[in-house]
Amino acid sequence: MLRGVIPLISMLGLSILVVPTGLALADNPNVQMVARGDPAMAKAHEKSQKGLDDFLEKLRNPPSGTENYNIKLGFTDKANVVALTTDQTAPDVEYMWVHQIKASGDHFTALLGDTPEYIHNIKRGDHVAFEKSDIFDWMYIENGKVKGNYTACPLLLAGPKEQLEQYRDIYGIVCD
């Protein structure tokens, strides 16, 4: 499931939920179902990984004109806690955005910016500790345009062409 964290990009920060097909979804327009192992989402994740080091450098030393740094993580309930995963074939994973990121090497802490729909052991505003290897996607705003957020593209490409053109014009999102 893909979700938004800030009003400016809430439409872009859709949440992704990877669940068994029989599970009914809540009526939430910011939550989108994605089949486990979806090839377009796998390509989006691969693209985000290629730009991850550059993103992390900017996160640590933000250039002028950049703001709203966010990272998407995959959460799953484990006993009374949550676990993180980037495994796109794992069941019952909810991908959500974190913000107010603090970095120490390849270790990070942040605040969960979304309200979980299906994960029960974490809530919006909770602190999350994670590693570089846990990062599924990333985004920030540069001079009013979205950079990153590659996981939005598979969802936008599957939707109406007018919506894709609107996102391209307003937010600068470019999808292959």
Side-chain angles (χ1 to χ4, degrees), residues 74-117:
F75 295 85
T76 186
D77 283 327
K78 295 287 182 187
N80 293 325
V81 297
V82 292
L84 297 172
T85 184
T86 59
D87 181 357
Q88 298 169 56
T89 62
D92 303 326
V93 177
E94 189 168 355
Y95 291 89
M96 297 180 280
W97 294 99
V98 298
H99 61 110
Q100 296 184 13
I101 305 155
K102 307 277 189 239
S104 176
D106 286 347
H107 308 283
F108 304 87
T109 59
L111 299 179
L112 182 62
D114 294 316
T115 302
E117 291 289 321

CSV table of all heavy atoms in Angstrom, one decimal, residues 74-117:
chain,number,residue,atom,x,y,z
A,74,GLY,N,8.7,-0.7,3.8
A,74,GLY,CA,7.7,-1.7,3.8
A,74,GLY,C,7.6,-2.3,5.2
A,74,GLY,O,8.5,-2.8,5.8
A,75,PHE,N,6.3,-2.2,5.8
A,75,PHE,CA,6.1,-2.7,7.1
A,75,PHE,C,5.2,-3.9,7.1
A,75,PHE,O,4.3,-4.1,6.3
A,75,PHE,CB,5.3,-1.6,7.9
A,75,PHE,CG,6.1,-0.3,8.1
A,75,PHE,CD1,6.1,0.6,7.2
A,75,PHE,CD2,6.8,-0.1,9.3
A,75,PHE,CE1,6.8,1.8,7.3
A,75,PHE,CE2,7.5,1.1,9.5
A,75,PHE,CZ,7.5,2.0,8.5
A,76,THR,N,5.5,-4.8,8.1
A,76,THR,CA,4.7,-6.0,8.3
A,76,THR,C,4.6,-6.3,9.8
A,76,THR,O,5.6,-6.0,10.5
A,76,THR,CB,5.2,-7.2,7.5
A,76,THR,OG1,4.3,-8.3,7.6
A,76,THR,CG2,6.5,-7.7,8.0
A,77,ASP,N,3.4,-6.7,10.3
A,77,ASP,CA,3.3,-7.0,11.7
A,77,ASP,C,4.0,-8.3,12.0
A,77,ASP,O,3.9,-9.3,11.3
A,77,ASP,CB,1.8,-7.2,12.1
A,77,ASP,CG,1.1,-5.8,12.2
A,77,ASP,OD1,1.7,-4.9,12.6
A,77,ASP,OD2,-0.1,-5.8,11.9
A,78,LYS,N,4.8,-8.3,13.1
A,78,LYS,CA,5.5,-9.5,13.7
A,78,LYS,C,5.2,-9.5,15.2
A,78,LYS,O,5.7,-8.6,15.9
A,78,LYS,CB,7.0,-9.4,13.4
A,78,LYS,CG,7.3,-9.5,11.9
A,78,LYS,CD,7.1,-10.9,11.4
A,78,LYS,CE,7.5,-10.9,9.9
A,78,LYS,NZ,7.2,-12.1,9.3
A,79,ALA,N,4.4,-10.5,15.6
A,79,ALA,CA,4.1,-10.5,17.1
A,79,ALA,C,3.6,-9.2,17.5
A,79,ALA,O,2.6,-8.7,17.0
A,79,ALA,CB,5.3,-11.0,17.9
A,80,ASN,N,4.2,-8.5,18.5
A,80,ASN,CA,3.7,-7.2,19.0
A,80,ASN,C,4.5,-6.1,18.5
A,80,ASN,O,4.5,-5.0,19.0
A,80,ASN,CB,3.8,-7.2,20.5
A,80,ASN,CG,2.8,-8.2,21.1
A,80,ASN,OD1,1.7,-8.3,20.6
A,80,ASN,ND2,3.1,-8.8,22.2
A,81,VAL,N,5.3,-6.3,17.4
A,81,VAL,CA,6.1,-5.2,16.8
A,81,VAL,C,5.9,-5.2,15.3
A,81,VAL,O,5.2,-6.0,14.8
A,81,VAL,CB,7.6,-5.4,17.2
A,81,VAL,CG1,7.9,-5.3,18.7
A,81,VAL,CG2,8.2,-6.7,16.6
A,82,VAL,N,6.6,-4.4,14.6
A,82,VAL,CA,6.6,-4.4,13.2
A,82,VAL,C,8.0,-4.8,12.7
A,82,VAL,O,9.0,-4.5,13.4
A,82,VAL,CB,6.2,-3.1,12.5
A,82,VAL,CG1,4.8,-2.8,12.7
A,82,VAL,CG2,7.1,-1.9,12.9
A,83,ALA,N,8.1,-5.4,11.5
A,83,ALA,CA,9.3,-5.7,10.9
A,83,ALA,C,9.3,-4.9,9.5
A,83,ALA,O,8.3,-4.6,9.0
A,83,ALA,CB,9.5,-7.2,10.6
A,84,LEU,N,10.5,-4.6,9.0
A,84,LEU,CA,10.7,-3.9,7.8
A,84,LEU,C,11.1,-4.9,6.7
A,84,LEU,O,11.9,-5.9,7.0
A,84,LEU,CB,11.7,-2.8,7.9
A,84,LEU,CG,11.3,-1.7,8.8
A,84,LEU,CD1,12.5,-0.7,9.0
A,84,LEU,CD2,10.1,-1.0,8.4
A,85,THR,N,10.6,-4.7,5.5
A,85,THR,CA,11.0,-5.6,4.4
A,85,THR,C,11.0,-4.8,3.1
A,85,THR,O,10.2,-3.9,2.9
A,85,THR,CB,10.1,-6.8,4.3
A,85,THR,OG1,10.6,-7.7,3.2
A,85,THR,CG2,8.6,-6.4,4.0
A,86,THR,N,11.8,-5.2,2.1
A,86,THR,CA,11.8,-4.7,0.8
A,86,THR,C,11.4,-5.9,-0.2
A,86,THR,O,11.4,-5.7,-1.4
A,86,THR,CB,13.1,-4.1,0.3
A,86,THR,OG1,14.1,-5.1,0.4
A,86,THR,CG2,13.5,-2.9,1.1
A,87,ASP,N,11.0,-7.0,0.4
A,87,ASP,CA,10.6,-8.2,-0.4
A,87,ASP,C,9.2,-8.0,-1.0
A,87,ASP,O,8.2,-8.0,-0.3
A,87,ASP,CB,10.6,-9.4,0.5
A,87,ASP,CG,10.3,-10.7,-0.2
A,87,ASP,OD1,9.9,-10.6,-1.4
A,87,ASP,OD2,10.3,-11.8,0.4
A,88,GLN,N,9.2,-7.8,-2.3
A,88,GLN,CA,7.9,-7.5,-2.9
A,88,GLN,C,7.0,-8.7,-3.1
A,88,GLN,O,5.9,-8.6,-3.6
A,88,GLN,CB,8.2,-6.8,-4.3
A,88,GLN,CG,8.9,-5.5,-4.1
A,88,GLN,CD,9.4,-5.0,-5.5
A,88,GLN,OE1,8.6,-4.9,-6.4
A,88,GLN,NE2,10.7,-4.8,-5.6
A,89,THR,N,7.5,-9.9,-2.8
A,89,THR,CA,6.7,-11.1,-2.9
A,89,THR,C,6.2,-11.5,-1.5
A,89,THR,O,5.4,-12.4,-1.4
A,89,THR,CB,7.5,-12.2,-3.5
A,89,THR,OG1,8.6,-12.6,-2.6
A,89,THR,CG2,8.0,-11.9,-4.9
A,90,ALA,N,6.6,-10.8,-0.4
A,90,ALA,CA,6.1,-11.1,0.9
A,90,ALA,C,4.6,-10.7,1.0
A,90,ALA,O,4.2,-9.7,0.5
A,90,ALA,CB,7.0,-10.4,1.9
A,91,PRO,N,3.9,-11.5,1.8
A,91,PRO,CA,2.5,-11.2,2.0
A,91,PRO,C,2.3,-10.1,3.1
A,91,PRO,O,3.1,-9.9,3.9
A,91,PRO,CB,1.8,-12.5,2.4
A,91,PRO,CG,3.0,-13.2,3.1
A,91,PRO,CD,4.2,-12.8,2.4
A,92,ASP,N,1.2,-9.4,3.0
A,92,ASP,CA,0.7,-8.5,4.0
A,92,ASP,C,1.7,-7.4,4.4
A,92,ASP,O,2.0,-7.1,5.5
A,92,ASP,CB,0.3,-9.3,5.3
A,92,ASP,CG,-0.7,-10.3,5.0
A,92,ASP,OD1,-1.6,-10.0,4.1
A,92,ASP,OD2,-0.7,-11.4,5.6
A,93,VAL,N,2.3,-6.8,3.3
A,93,VAL,CA,3.3,-5.7,3.5
A,93,VAL,C,2.6,-4.4,3.2
A,93,VAL,O,1.9,-4.3,2.2
A,93,VAL,CB,4.5,-5.9,2.7
A,93,VAL,CG1,5.5,-4.7,2.8
A,93,VAL,CG2,5.2,-7.2,3.0
A,94,GLU,N,2.7,-3.4,4.1
A,94,GLU,CA,2.2,-2.1,3.8
A,94,GLU,C,3.3,-1.1,3.7
A,94,GLU,O,4.1,-1.0,4.6
A,94,GLU,CB,1.2,-1.7,5.0
A,94,GLU,CG,0.5,-0.4,4.7
A,94,GLU,CD,-0.7,-0.2,5.7
A,94,GLU,OE1,-0.9,-1.0,6.6
A,94,GLU,OE2,-1.3,0.9,5.6
A,95,TYR,N,3.4,-0.5,2.5
A,95,TYR,CA,4.5,0.5,2.3
A,95,TYR,C,4.0,1.9,2.6
A,95,TYR,O,3.0,2.3,2.1
A,95,TYR,CB,4.9,0.4,0.8
A,95,TYR,CG,5.6,-0.9,0.5
A,95,TYR,CD1,4.9,-2.0,0.0
A,95,TYR,CD2,7.0,-1.0,0.6
A,95,TYR,CE1,5.5,-3.2,-0.3
A,95,TYR,CE2,7.6,-2.2,0.3
A,95,TYR,CZ,6.9,-3.3,-0.1
A,95,TYR,OH,7.5,-4.5,-0.4
A,96,MET,N,4.8,2.5,3.5
A,96,MET,CA,4.4,3.9,4.0
A,96,MET,C,5.6,4.8,4.0
A,96,MET,O,6.7,4.3,4.1
A,96,MET,CB,3.7,3.7,5.4
A,96,MET,CG,2.5,2.9,5.4
A,96,MET,SD,1.7,2.8,7.0
A,96,MET,CE,2.7,1.5,7.7
A,97,TRP,N,5.3,6.1,4.0
A,97,TRP,CA,6.3,7.1,4.1
A,97,TRP,C,6.7,7.5,5.5
A,97,TRP,O,5.9,7.6,6.3
A,97,TRP,CB,5.9,8.3,3.3
A,97,TRP,CG,5.7,8.1,1.8
A,97,TRP,CD1,4.5,7.9,1.2
A,97,TRP,CD2,6.7,8.1,0.8
A,97,TRP,NE1,4.7,7.7,-0.1
A,97,TRP,CE2,6.0,7.9,-0.4
A,97,TRP,CE3,8.1,8.3,0.9
A,97,TRP,CZ2,6.7,7.8,-1.6
A,97,TRP,CZ3,8.8,8.2,-0.3
A,97,TRP,CH2,8.1,8.0,-1.5
A,98,VAL,N,8.0,7.8,5.7
A,98,VAL,CA,8.5,8.3,6.9
A,98,VAL,C,9.2,9.7,6.6
A,98,VAL,O,9.6,9.9,5.4
A,98,VAL,CB,9.5,7.4,7.6
A,98,VAL,CG1,8.8,6.1,8.1
A,98,VAL,CG2,10.8,7.1,6.8
A,99,HIS,N,9.2,10.6,7.6
A,99,HIS,CA,9.8,11.9,7.3
A,99,HIS,C,10.5,12.3,8.6
A,99,HIS,O,10.7,11.6,9.5
A,99,HIS,CB,8.7,12.9,7.0
A,99,HIS,CG,7.6,13.0,8.0
A,99,HIS,ND1,7.5,14.2,8.8
A,99,HIS,CD2,6.7,12.2,8.5
A,99,HIS,CE1,6.5,14.0,9.6
A,99,HIS,NE2,6.0,12.8,9.5
A,100,GLN,N,11.0,13.6,8.6
A,100,GLN,CA,11.9,14.1,9.7
A,100,GLN,C,13.0,13.1,9.9
A,100,GLN,O,13.2,12.6,11.1
A,100,GLN,CB,11.1,14.4,10.9
A,100,GLN,CG,10.1,15.5,10.7
A,100,GLN,CD,9.3,15.9,12.0
A,100,GLN,OE1,9.7,15.4,13.1
A,100,GLN,NE2,8.3,16.7,11.8
A,101,ILE,N,13.7,12.8,8.9
A,101,ILE,CA,14.7,11.7,8.9
A,101,ILE,C,16.0,12.2,9.5
A,101,ILE,O,16.5,13.3,9.1
A,101,ILE,CB,15.0,11.2,7.4
A,101,ILE,CG1,13.7,10.8,6.8
A,101,ILE,CG2,16.0,10.1,7.4
A,101,ILE,CD1,13.6,10.9,5.3
A,102,LYS,N,16.6,11.4,10.4
A,102,LYS,CA,17.9,11.7,11.0
A,102,LYS,C,18.8,10.5,10.5
A,102,LYS,O,18.5,9.3,10.6
A,102,LYS,CB,17.9,11.7,12.5
A,102,LYS,CG,16.8,12.7,13.0
A,102,LYS,CD,17.4,14.0,13.1
A,102,LYS,CE,16.4,14.9,13.9
A,102,LYS,NZ,15.9,16.0,13.1
A,103,ALA,N,20.0,10.9,10.0
A,103,ALA,CA,20.9,9.9,9.5
A,103,ALA,C,22.2,9.8,10.3
A,103,ALA,O,22.7,10.8,10.8
A,103,ALA,CB,21.3,10.2,8.0
A,104,SER,N,22.7,8.6,10.5
A,104,SER,CA,24.0,8.3,11.1
A,104,SER,C,24.6,7.2,10.4
A,104,SER,O,24.3,6.0,10.6
A,104,SER,CB,23.8,8.0,12.6
A,104,SER,OG,25.0,7.7,13.2
A,105,GLY,N,25.4,7.5,9.4
A,105,GLY,CA,25.9,6.5,8.5
A,105,GLY,C,24.8,5.9,7.7
A,105,GLY,O,24.0,6.6,7.1
A,106,ASP,N,24.7,4.5,7.7
A,106,ASP,CA,23.6,3.8,7.0
A,106,ASP,C,22.5,3.5,8.0
A,106,ASP,O,21.6,2.7,7.6
A,106,ASP,CB,24.2,2.5,6.4
A,106,ASP,CG,25.0,2.8,5.1
A,106,ASP,OD1,25.0,4.0,4.6
A,106,ASP,OD2,25.7,1.9,4.6
A,107,HIS,N,22.5,4.1,9.2
A,107,HIS,CA,21.4,3.9,10.1
A,107,HIS,C,20.6,5.2,10.2
A,107,HIS,O,21.1,6.3,10.1
A,107,HIS,CB,22.0,3.6,11.5
A,107,HIS,CG,23.0,2.5,11.5
A,107,HIS,ND1,22.6,1.2,11.5
A,107,HIS,CD2,24.3,2.5,11.5
A,107,HIS,CE1,23.7,0.4,11.4
A,107,HIS,NE2,24.7,1.2,11.5
A,108,PHE,N,19.2,5.0,10.3
A,108,PHE,CA,18.3,6.2,10.2
A,108,PHE,C,17.2,6.0,11.3
A,108,PHE,O,16.9,4.9,11.7
A,108,PHE,CB,17.7,6.2,8.9
A,108,PHE,CG,18.6,6.3,7.7
A,108,PHE,CD1,19.1,5.1,7.2
A,108,PHE,CD2,19.0,7.5,7.2
A,108,PHE,CE1,20.0,5.2,6.1
A,108,PHE,CE2,19.9,7.6,6.2
A,108,PHE,CZ,20.4,6.4,5.6
A,109,THR,N,16.7,7.2,11.7
A,109,THR,CA,15.5,7.2,12.4
A,109,THR,C,14.6,8.3,11.7
A,109,THR,O,15.1,9.2,11.1
A,109,THR,CB,15.7,7.6,13.9
A,109,THR,OG1,16.3,8.9,13.9
A,109,THR,CG2,16.5,6.6,14.6
A,110,ALA,N,13.3,8.1,11.9
A,110,ALA,CA,12.3,9.0,11.3
A,110,ALA,C,11.0,8.8,12.0
A,110,ALA,O,10.8,7.9,12.8
A,110,ALA,CB,12.2,8.7,9.8
A,111,LEU,N,10.0,9.6,11.6
A,111,LEU,CA,8.6,9.5,12.1
A,111,LEU,C,7.7,9.0,11.0
A,111,LEU,O,7.8,9.4,9.8
A,111,LEU,CB,8.1,10.9,12.5
A,111,LEU,CG,8.8,11.6,13.6
A,111,LEU,CD1,8.2,13.0,13.9
A,111,LEU,CD2,8.9,10.8,14.9
A,112,LEU,N,6.9,8.1,11.3
A,112,LEU,CA,5.9,7.5,10.4
A,112,LEU,C,4.9,8.6,10.0
A,112,LEU,O,4.3,9.2,10.9
A,112,LEU,CB,5.2,6.3,11.0
A,112,LEU,CG,4.2,5.6,10.0
A,112,LEU,CD1,4.9,5.1,8.8
A,112,LEU,CD2,3.4,4.5,10.7
A,113,GLY,N,4.8,8.9,8.7
A,113,GLY,CA,4.0,10.0,8.3
A,113,GLY,C,2.6,9.6,7.8
A,113,GLY,O,1.8,10.4,7.5
A,114,ASP,N,2.3,8.3,7.8
A,114,ASP,CA,1.1,7.8,7.3
A,114,ASP,C,0.3,7.1,8.5
A,114,ASP,O,0.9,6.7,9.5
A,114,ASP,CB,1.3,6.7,6.2
A,114,ASP,CG,1.8,7.3,5.0
A,114,ASP,OD1,1.4,8.4,4.6
A,114,ASP,OD2,2.8,6.7,4.4
A,115,THR,N,-1.0,7.0,8.3
A,115,THR,CA,-1.8,6.2,9.2
A,115,THR,C,-2.0,4.8,8.6
A,115,THR,O,-2.6,4.7,7.6
A,115,THR,CB,-3.2,6.9,9.4
A,115,THR,OG1,-3.0,8.2,9.9
A,115,THR,CG2,-4.0,6.1,10.4
A,116,PRO,N,-1.5,3.8,9.3
A,116,PRO,CA,-1.6,2.4,8.7
A,116,PRO,C,-3.1,2.0,8.5
A,116,PRO,O,-3.9,2.3,9.4
A,116,PRO,CB,-0.9,1.6,9.7
A,116,PRO,CG,0.0,2.5,10.5
A,116,PRO,CD,-0.7,3.8,10.5
A,117,GLU,N,-3.3,1.3,7.5
A,117,GLU,CA,-4.6,0.7,7.2
A,117,GLU,C,-4.7,-0.7,7.7
A,117,GLU,O,-5.7,-1.1,8.2
A,117,GLU,CB,-5.0,0.8,5.7
A,117,GLU,CG,-5.2,2.1,5.2
A,117,GLU,CD,-6.5,2.7,5.7
A,117,GLU,OE1,-7.5,2.0,5.8
A,117,GLU,OE2,-6.5,3.9,5.9
